[in-house]
Amino acid sequence: MGHGFKIHTQGPGLYEFTNDVARWLAGQTTGDGLLTLFVRHTSCSLLIQENADPEVQTDLQNFFHRLVPPTTDPAMSYLTHTYEGPDDMPAHIKAALLPVSLSIPVQSGQLVLGTWQGIYLFEHRNAPHTRHVAAHLGS
């Protein structure tokens, strides 16, 4: 069973869409399986991360910004792919470091996530985007 999710972003950050996935899943099965999510872009990522304290998302965003700053930072002067803006190539690097797909077990039609875990799209670009995440539920 395949499906897709559209996630509208407003710039860098983590955008939780766990509830959207759970709602879709509830209409698909009451059984067991494996859900695969895949983001169809090269400048954002998917994460399973804590959803209880928003400081976790802020700290992750700040860490990756510090790890891979924009091309306007002198430390990034070696990059050559700069014509799409100073955030573009760093976004590709972050997406290369982080997952672009997730596999989540499903039991009795429910996501098997920990108490404080949520599913996030991690936007790495500065401008708003509509991101597409493909979903496939296998048995």
Side-chain angles (χ1 to χ4, degrees):
M1 293 178 206
H3 182 72
F5 297 95
K6 286 184 183 178
I7 298 150
H8 302 284
T9 68
Q10 297 300 313
L14 284 90
Y15 296 83
E16 186 175 7
F17 65 108
T18 312
N19 290 338
D20 296 332
V21 175
R23 272 192 298 279
W24 170 74
L25 190 59
Q28 300 303 307
T29 186
T30 57
D32 298 346
L34 185 66
L35 175 65
T36 302
L37 299 173
F38 174 77
V39 65
R40 298 175 57 203
H41 304 276
T42 60
S43 55
C44 59
S45 307
L46 294 175
L47 294 178
I48 293 176
Q49 199 46 253
E50 178 178 324
N51 63 1
D53 184 352
E55 289 179 349
V56 171
Q57 291 95 50
T58 301
D59 287 348
L60 281 168
Q61 181 181 339
N62 290 339
F63 171 79
F64 278 98
H65 180 78
R66 188 173 180 177
L67 182 67
V68 188
T71 59
T72 53
D73 186 298
M76 303 302 276
S77 63
Y78 64 93
L79 295 175
T80 58
H81 178 75
T82 59
Y83 57 89
E84 292 183 55
D87 66 323
D88 185 52
M89 190 60 217
H92 293 301
I93 294 169
K94 292 170 191 175
L97 294 172
L98 295 165
V100 295
S101 66
L102 301 172
S103 296
I104 304 167
V106 174
Q107 288 181 345
S108 302
Q110 303 285 318
L111 294 166
V112 180
L113 291 172
T115 302
W116 307 115
Q117 288 183 320
I119 304 167
Y120 290 88
L121 180 125
F122 194 171
E123 177 63 68
H124 304 306
R125 296 296 308 268
N126 292 335
H129 285 84
T130 299
R131 301 302 196 170
H132 300 268
V133 176
H136 176 77
L137 179 60
S139 51

